[in-house]
Amino acid sequence: MGRVTLVDVFKHRITQKYLQRSGIHHAVTVAGYAFDMAVEKGVDPDLAAKSALLHDMGHYEWYRDGKWDYDEYRRHDIHAIKGAERAHKLLIRLGEDRLTAKEVSVAVLLHTDSYLPFGLDEKRTPLQHVVAKADEKDEQPMGLHHYKEMDKSEALRRLHELDQRIEAYFDDRNPKSG
């Protein structure tokens, strides 16, 4: 079986369900940032883009009186824990390599330290650091980055383009012998 693509991941019903909560625009944008940062830092861009695409799939909806309650969300946030579990299960279902699924799920788990009583800055691997920084690059105050709109056809177009860039990256590093 070939590489599980970002498009494969995005099209799965589980991804669709959870990215609706956390924002398709945010997930796709962060995946693009993670790819660029990964290439710059010498990190596997496939792992970085997958981790970034799935990094917020553990989000819960915290509404009070019909409005997003950011303070309530921050007080009870465990989205990275739930997201890591969901990401791993999803990738295994799609046929992803088990070590890849593990690396992605750990990067999802450690993309934020908002749920921890301590910081992670000096403890992250290069992959985890790239995903955290890509997420931070798209963040807006009060979680507004989760409400930017992007329709699914635009998301698919951008992810297909990103998949092509990932393939080209690996093709450039592993030229076929003639």
Side-chain angles (χ1 to χ4, degrees), residues 103-166:
E103 285 291 314
V104 169
S105 65
V106 173
V108 169
L109 177 66
L110 300 177
H111 82 274
T112 182
D113 57 15
S114 64
Y115 61 98
L116 295 170
F118 51 85
L120 292 172
D121 287 336
E122 302 303 319
K123 295 173 178 62
R124 288 184 175 113
T125 67
L127 170 63
Q128 296 158 6
H129 181 77
V130 162
V131 176
K133 291 302 176 191
D135 181 33
E136 288 173 14
K137 186 172 180 176
D138 194 52
E139 283 182 355
Q140 293 181 320
M142 302 298 290
L144 293 176
H145 52 282
H146 294 292
Y147 294 96
K148 291 181 181 177
E149 297 288 327
M150 178 183 288
D151 74 29
K152 290 178 186 175
S153 63
E154 174 64 11
L156 282 168
R157 185 193 68 72
R158 289 177 60 182
L159 291 172
H160 178 70
E161 181 181 294
L162 202 48
D163 278 328
Q164 290 177 322
R165 292 175 67 199
I166 291 167

Coordinates of all heavy atoms in Angstrom, one line a residue, residues 103-166:
E103 N 4.0 8.3 16.0 CA 4.7 9.6 16.0 C 3.7 10.8 15.8 O 3.8 11.8 16.5 CB 5.7 9.7 14.8 CG 6.9 8.9 15.1 CD 7.8 9.5 16.1 OE1 8.0 10.7 16.1 OE2 8.3 8.8 17.0
V104 N 2.7 10.6 14.9 CA 1.7 11.6 14.7 C 0.9 11.8 16.0 O 0.6 13.0 16.4 CB 0.8 11.3 13.5 CG1 -0.4 12.2 13.4 CG2 1.6 11.3 12.2
S105 N 0.4 10.7 16.6 CA -0.4 10.9 17.7 C 0.3 11.5 18.9 O -0.3 12.4 19.6 CB -1.0 9.6 18.2 OG -0.1 8.6 18.6
V106 N 1.6 11.2 19.1 CA 2.4 11.9 20.1 C 2.6 13.4 19.8 O 2.5 14.2 20.7 CB 3.7 11.2 20.4 CG1 4.6 11.9 21.4 CG2 3.5 9.8 20.9
A107 N 2.8 13.7 18.5 CA 2.9 15.1 18.2 C 1.6 15.9 18.4 O 1.6 17.0 18.8 CB 3.3 15.3 16.7
V108 N 0.4 15.2 18.2 CA -0.9 15.8 18.5 C -1.0 16.0 20.0 O -1.4 17.1 20.5 CB -2.0 14.9 18.0 CG1 -3.4 15.4 18.5 CG2 -2.0 14.9 16.4
L109 N -0.6 15.0 20.8 CA -0.6 15.1 22.2 C 0.2 16.3 22.8 O -0.2 17.0 23.7 CB -0.1 13.8 22.8 CG 0.0 13.7 24.4 CD1 -1.4 13.8 25.0 CD2 0.7 12.5 24.8
L110 N 1.3 16.5 22.2 CA 2.3 17.5 22.7 C 2.3 18.8 21.9 O 3.2 19.6 22.1 CB 3.7 16.9 22.8 CG 3.7 15.6 23.7 CD1 5.1 15.1 23.7 CD2 3.3 16.0 25.1
H111 N 1.3 19.0 21.1 CA 1.3 20.3 20.3 C 1.0 21.5 21.2 O 1.2 22.6 20.8 CB 0.3 20.3 19.1 CG -1.1 20.5 19.5 ND1 -2.0 19.5 19.9 CD2 -1.8 21.7 19.4 CE1 -3.2 20.1 20.1 NE2 -3.1 21.4 19.9
T112 N 0.5 21.2 22.4 CA 0.2 22.3 23.3 C 0.5 21.8 24.7 O 0.4 20.6 25.0 CB -1.3 22.7 23.3 OG1 -1.5 23.8 24.2 CG2 -2.3 21.6 23.6
D113 N 0.7 22.7 25.7 CA 0.9 22.3 27.0 C -0.2 22.9 27.9 O -0.2 23.0 29.1 CB 2.3 22.6 27.6 CG 2.6 24.1 27.5 OD1 1.7 24.9 27.2 OD2 3.8 24.4 27.6
S114 N -1.3 23.3 27.2 CA -2.4 24.1 27.9 C -3.1 23.2 29.0 O -3.7 23.7 29.9 CB -3.4 24.6 26.9 OG -4.1 23.5 26.3
Y115 N -3.0 21.9 28.9 CA -3.7 21.0 29.8 C -2.7 20.5 30.9 O -3.1 19.7 31.8 CB -4.3 19.8 29.1 CG -3.3 19.0 28.3 CD1 -2.8 17.8 28.8 CD2 -2.8 19.4 27.1 CE1 -1.8 17.0 28.2 CE2 -1.9 18.6 26.4 CZ -1.4 17.5 26.9 OH -0.5 16.7 26.3
L116 N -1.5 20.9 30.8 CA -0.4 20.4 31.7 C -0.1 21.4 32.8 O -0.2 22.6 32.5 CB 0.8 20.0 30.9 CG 0.7 18.9 29.9 CD1 2.0 18.8 29.1 CD2 0.5 17.5 30.6
P117 N 0.4 20.9 33.9 CA 0.8 21.9 35.0 C 2.2 22.4 34.8 O 2.8 23.0 35.7 CB 0.7 21.0 36.3 CG 0.9 19.6 35.8 CD 0.3 19.6 34.4
F118 N 2.8 22.1 33.7 CA 4.2 22.5 33.4 C 4.3 22.7 31.9 O 3.5 22.3 31.1 CB 5.2 21.4 33.8 CG 4.9 20.0 33.3 CD1 5.3 19.6 32.0 CD2 4.2 19.1 34.1 CE1 5.0 18.4 31.5 CE2 3.9 17.9 33.6 CZ 4.3 17.5 32.3
G119 N 5.4 23.4 31.5 CA 5.6 23.7 30.0 C 6.4 22.6 29.4 O 7.1 21.8 30.0
L120 N 6.4 22.6 28.0 CA 7.0 21.5 27.2 C 8.2 22.1 26.4 O 8.8 21.3 25.6 CB 6.0 20.8 26.3 CG 5.0 20.0 27.0 CD1 3.9 19.5 26.0 CD2 5.6 18.8 27.7
D121 N 8.4 23.3 26.4 CA 9.3 24.0 25.4 C 10.6 23.2 25.2 O 11.0 23.0 24.1 CB 9.6 25.4 25.8 CG 8.4 26.3 25.6 OD1 7.6 26.0 24.7 OD2 8.3 27.3 26.3
E122 N 11.3 22.8 26.2 CA 12.6 22.2 26.1 C 12.5 20.6 25.9 O 13.5 20.0 25.8 CB 13.5 22.5 27.2 CG 13.8 24.0 27.4 CD 14.3 24.7 26.1 OE1 15.2 24.1 25.5 OE2 13.9 25.8 25.8
K123 N 11.3 20.1 26.0 CA 11.2 18.7 26.0 C 10.7 18.1 24.7 O 10.7 16.9 24.5 CB 10.2 18.3 27.1 CG 10.7 18.6 28.5 CD 9.7 18.3 29.6 CE 10.2 18.6 31.0 NZ 10.7 19.9 31.3
R124 N 10.2 18.9 23.8 CA 9.6 18.4 22.5 C 10.7 18.0 21.6 O 11.8 18.6 21.5 CB 8.8 19.6 21.8 CG 7.5 19.9 22.5 CD 6.7 20.9 21.7 NE 5.4 21.2 22.3 CZ 5.1 22.3 22.8 NH1 5.9 23.3 22.9 NH2 3.9 22.4 23.3
T125 N 10.4 17.0 20.8 CA 11.2 16.6 19.6 C 11.1 17.6 18.5 O 10.2 18.4 18.6 CB 10.8 15.2 19.1 OG1 9.5 15.3 18.5 CG2 10.8 14.1 20.2
P126 N 12.0 17.6 17.5 CA 11.8 18.5 16.4 C 10.5 18.5 15.7 O 9.9 19.5 15.4 CB 13.0 18.1 15.5 CG 14.0 17.6 16.4 CD 13.3 16.8 17.5
L127 N 9.9 17.3 15.5 CA 8.6 17.1 14.9 C 7.5 17.8 15.8 O 6.7 18.6 15.3 CB 8.2 15.7 14.7 CG 6.7 15.4 14.3 CD1 6.4 16.0 13.0 CD2 6.4 13.9 14.4
Q128 N 7.6 17.5 17.1 CA 6.6 18.1 18.0 C 6.7 19.6 18.1 O 5.7 20.4 18.2 CB 6.7 17.5 19.4 CG 6.4 16.0 19.4 CD 7.1 15.3 20.6 OE1 7.7 15.9 21.5 NE2 6.9 14.0 20.6
H129 N 7.9 20.1 18.0 CA 8.2 21.6 18.0 C 7.6 22.2 16.8 O 7.0 23.3 16.9 CB 9.7 21.8 18.1 CG 10.1 23.3 18.2 ND1 9.9 24.0 19.3 CD2 10.5 24.1 17.2 CE1 10.3 25.3 19.0 NE2 10.7 25.3 17.7
V130 N 7.8 21.6 15.6 CA 7.3 22.1 14.4 C 5.8 22.2 14.4 O 5.2 23.3 14.1 CB 7.7 21.3 13.2 CG1 6.9 21.5 11.9 CG2 9.2 21.5 12.8
V131 N 5.1 21.2 14.9 CA 3.6 21.2 15.0 C 3.1 22.3 16.0 O 2.2 23.0 15.7 CB 3.1 19.8 15.4 CG1 1.6 19.8 15.5 CG2 3.5 18.8 14.3
A132 N 3.8 22.4 17.1 CA 3.4 23.4 18.1 C 3.6 24.8 17.5 O 2.7 25.7 17.6 CB 4.2 23.3 19.3
K133 N 4.7 25.1 16.8 CA 5.0 26.4 16.2 C 4.0 26.7 15.1 O 3.6 27.9 14.9 CB 6.4 26.5 15.8 CG 7.4 26.6 17.0 CD 7.1 27.7 17.9 CE 8.0 27.7 19.1 NZ 7.5 28.7 20.1
A134 N 3.7 25.7 14.3 CA 2.7 25.9 13.2 C 1.4 26.3 13.7 O 0.7 27.2 13.2 CB 2.7 24.6 12.3
D135 N 1.0 25.6 14.8 CA -0.3 25.9 15.4 C -0.3 27.3 16.0 O -1.2 28.1 15.7 CB -0.6 24.9 16.5 CG -1.9 25.1 17.3 OD1 -2.9 25.6 16.6 OD2 -2.0 24.8 18.5
E136 N 0.8 27.7 16.7 CA 0.9 29.1 17.2 C 0.8 30.1 16.1 O 0.3 31.2 16.4 CB 2.2 29.2 18.0 CG 2.2 28.5 19.3 CD 3.5 28.5 20.0 OE1 4.4 29.3 19.6 OE2 3.7 27.7 20.9
K137 N 1.4 29.8 15.0 CA 1.4 30.8 13.9 C 0.0 31.2 13.4 O -0.2 32.3 13.0 CB 2.2 30.3 12.7 CG 2.5 31.2 11.6 CD 3.4 30.7 10.6 CE 3.6 31.7 9.5 NZ 4.6 31.3 8.5
D138 N -0.9 30.3 13.5 CA -2.3 30.6 13.1 C -3.3 31.0 14.2 O -4.4 31.4 13.9 CB -2.9 29.3 12.4 CG -4.1 29.6 11.5 OD1 -4.1 30.6 10.7 OD2 -5.2 29.0 11.7
E139 N -2.8 30.9 15.4 CA -3.7 31.2 16.5 C -4.1 32.7 16.5 O -3.4 33.6 16.1 CB -3.0 30.9 17.9 CG -3.0 29.5 18.2 CD -2.4 29.1 19.5 OE1 -1.9 30.1 20.2 OE2 -2.4 28.0 19.9
Q140 N -5.4 32.9 17.0 CA -5.9 34.3 17.3 C -6.5 34.3 18.7 O -6.8 33.3 19.3 CB -7.0 34.6 16.2 CG -6.5 34.7 14.8 CD -7.6 35.0 13.9 OE1 -8.7 34.5 14.0 NE2 -7.3 35.8 12.9
P141 N -6.6 35.5 19.2 CA -7.1 35.6 20.6 C -8.5 35.0 20.8 O -9.3 35.0 19.8 CB -7.1 37.1 20.8 CG -6.2 37.7 19.9 CD -6.2 36.8 18.7
M142 N -8.7 34.5 21.9 CA -10.0 33.9 22.3 C -10.5 32.7 21.3 O -11.7 32.5 21.2 CB -11.1 35.0 22.3 CG -10.8 36.1 23.3 SD -10.7 35.6 25.0 CE -12.4 35.2 25.3
G143 N -9.5 32.1 20.7 CA -9.8 30.9 19.9 C -10.5 31.3 18.6 O -11.1 30.4 17.9
L144 N -10.4 32.5 18.1 CA -11.1 32.9 16.9 C -10.7 32.2 15.6 O -11.4 32.1 14.7 CB -11.1 34.4 16.7 CG -11.8 35.3 17.7 CD1 -11.6 36.7 17.5 CD2 -13.3 34.9 17.7
H145 N -9.4 31.7 15.7 CA -8.9 30.9 14.5 C -9.7 29.7 14.2 O -9.7 29.2 13.1 CB -7.4 30.6 14.7 CG -7.2 29.9 16.0 ND1 -7.1 30.5 17.2 CD2 -6.9 28.5 16.3 CE1 -6.8 29.6 18.2 NE2 -6.7 28.4 17.6
H146 N -10.5 29.2 15.2 CA -11.3 28.0 15.0 C -12.6 28.3 14.2 O -13.3 27.4 13.8 CB -11.7 27.4 16.3 CG -10.5 26.8 17.0 ND1 -9.8 25.7 16.5 CD2 -9.9 27.2 18.1 CE1 -8.8 25.4 17.4 NE2 -8.8 26.3 18.3
Y147 N -12.9 29.6 13.9 CA -14.1 30.0 13.3 C -13.9 30.6 11.9 O -14.9 31.0 11.3 CB -14.8 31.0 14.2 CG -15.3 30.4 15.5 CD1 -14.5 30.5 16.6 CD2 -16.4 29.6 15.5 CE1 -14.9 29.8 17.8 CE2 -16.8 28.9 16.6 CZ -16.1 29.1 17.8 OH -16.4 28.4 18.9
K148 N -12.7 30.6 11.4 CA -12.5 31.0 10.0 C -13.1 29.9 9.1 O -13.0 28.7 9.4 CB -11.0 31.1 9.7 CG -10.3 32.2 10.4 CD -8.8 32.2 9.9 CE -8.1 33.3 10.6 NZ -6.6 33.3 10.2
E149 N -13.7 30.3 8.0 CA -14.4 29.4 7.1 C -13.5 29.0 6.0 O -12.7 29.7 5.5 CB -15.6 30.1 6.5 CG -16.7 30.5 7.6 CD -17.4 29.3 8.1 OE1 -17.7 28.4 7.4 OE2 -17.8 29.4 9.3
M150 N -13.7 27.7 5.6 CA -13.1 27.2 4.4 C -14.0 26.0 3.9 O -14.3 25.1 4.7 CB -11.7 26.6 4.6 CG -11.1 26.0 3.4 SD -9.4 25.3 3.7 CE -8.5 26.8 3.9
D151 N -14.5 26.0 2.7 CA -15.4 24.9 2.3 C -14.5 23.7 2.0 O -13.3 23.8 1.8 CB -16.3 25.3 1.2 CG -15.7 25.5 -0.2 OD1 -14.7 24.8 -0.5 OD2 -16.3 26.2 -1.0
K152 N -15.2 22.6 2.0 CA -14.4 21.3 1.8 C -13.7 21.2 0.5 O -12.6 20.6 0.4 CB -15.4 20.1 2.0 CG -15.9 20.0 3.4 CD -16.8 18.9 3.6 CE -17.4 18.9 5.0 NZ -18.4 17.9 5.2
S153 N -14.3 21.8 -0.6 CA -13.6 21.7 -1.9 C -12.3 22.4 -1.9 O -11.3 22.0 -2.5 CB -14.5 22.1 -3.0 OG -14.9 23.5 -2.9
E154 N -12.3 23.6 -1.2 CA -11.0 24.4 -1.1 C -10.0 23.6 -0.2 O -8.8 23.6 -0.5 CB -11.3 25.8 -0.5 CG -10.1 26.6 -0.3 CD -9.2 26.9 -1.5 OE1 -9.7 26.7 -2.6 OE2 -8.1 27.4 -1.3
A155 N -10.5 23.0 0.8 CA -9.6 22.2 1.7 C -9.0 21.1 0.9 O -7.8 20.8 1.0 CB -10.4 21.7 2.9
L156 N -9.8 20.4 0.2 CA -9.3 19.2 -0.6 C -8.3 19.7 -1.7 O -7.3 19.1 -1.9 CB -10.5 18.5 -1.3 CG -11.2 17.6 -0.4 CD1 -12.5 17.1 -1.1 CD2 -10.4 16.4 0.0
R157 N -8.5 20.8 -2.3 CA -7.6 21.4 -3.3 C -6.3 21.7 -2.6 O -5.2 21.3 -3.1 CB -8.2 22.6 -3.9 CG -7.3 23.2 -5.1 CD -7.7 24.6 -5.5 NE -7.4 25.6 -4.5 CZ -6.2 26.0 -4.1 NH1 -5.1 25.6 -4.7 NH2 -6.1 27.0 -3.2
R158 N -6.3 22.3 -1.5 CA -5.1 22.7 -0.8 C -4.3 21.5 -0.2 O -3.1 21.4 -0.3 CB -5.4 23.7 0.3 CG -5.7 25.1 -0.2 CD -6.1 26.1 0.8 NE -5.0 26.4 1.8 CZ -5.2 27.2 2.8 NH1 -6.3 27.8 3.0 NH2 -4.2 27.4 3.6
L159 N -5.1 20.5 0.2 CA -4.4 19.3 0.8 C -3.8 18.4 -0.4 O -2.8 17.9 -0.2 CB -5.4 18.5 1.6 CG -5.8 19.1 2.9 CD1 -6.9 18.4 3.6 CD2 -4.6 19.3 3.9
H160 N -4.5 18.4 -1.5 CA -4.0 17.7 -2.7 C -2.7 18.3 -3.1 O -1.7 17.6 -3.4 CB -5.0 17.7 -3.8 CG -4.5 17.0 -5.1 ND1 -4.3 15.7 -5.2 CD2 -4.1 17.5 -6.2 CE1 -3.8 15.4 -6.3 NE2 -3.7 16.5 -7.0
E161 N -2.6 19.6 -3.1 CA -1.4 20.4 -3.5 C -0.3 20.1 -2.5 O 0.9 19.9 -2.8 CB -1.7 21.9 -3.5 CG -0.5 22.7 -3.9 CD -0.9 24.2 -3.9 OE1 -1.7 24.6 -4.7 OE2 -0.3 24.9 -3.0
L162 N -0.6 20.0 -1.2 CA 0.3 19.7 -0.2 C 0.8 18.3 -0.3 O 2.0 18.0 -0.2 CB -0.3 20.0 1.2 CG 0.6 20.2 2.4 CD1 1.7 21.2 2.1 CD2 -0.3 20.6 3.6
D163 N -0.1 17.3 -0.6 CA 0.3 16.0 -0.9 C 1.4 15.9 -2.0 O 2.3 15.2 -2.0 CB -0.9 15.1 -1.2 CG -1.6 14.6 0.0 OD1 -1.0 14.3 1.0 OD2 -2.8 14.4 -0.1
Q164 N 1.1 16.7 -3.1 CA 2.1 16.7 -4.2 C 3.4 17.3 -3.8 O 4.5 16.8 -4.2 CB 1.5 17.5 -5.4 CG 0.3 16.9 -6.0 CD -0.3 17.7 -7.1 OE1 -0.4 19.0 -7.0 NE2 -0.7 17.1 -8.2
R165 N 3.4 18.3 -2.9 CA 4.7 18.9 -2.4 C 5.4 17.8 -1.6 O 6.6 17.8 -1.6 CB 4.4 20.1 -1.6 CG 3.9 21.3 -2.5 CD 3.5 22.5 -1.7 NE 4.7 23.1 -1.1 CZ 4.6 24.0 -0.1 NH1 3.4 24.3 0.4 NH2 5.7 24.5 0.4
I166 N 4.7 17.1 -0.8 CA 5.3 16.0 0.0 C 5.9 15.0 -0.9 O 7.1 14.5 -0.6 CB 4.3 15.4 1.0 CG1 3.9 16.4 2.1 CG2 4.8 14.1 1.7 CD1 2.7 16.0 2.9

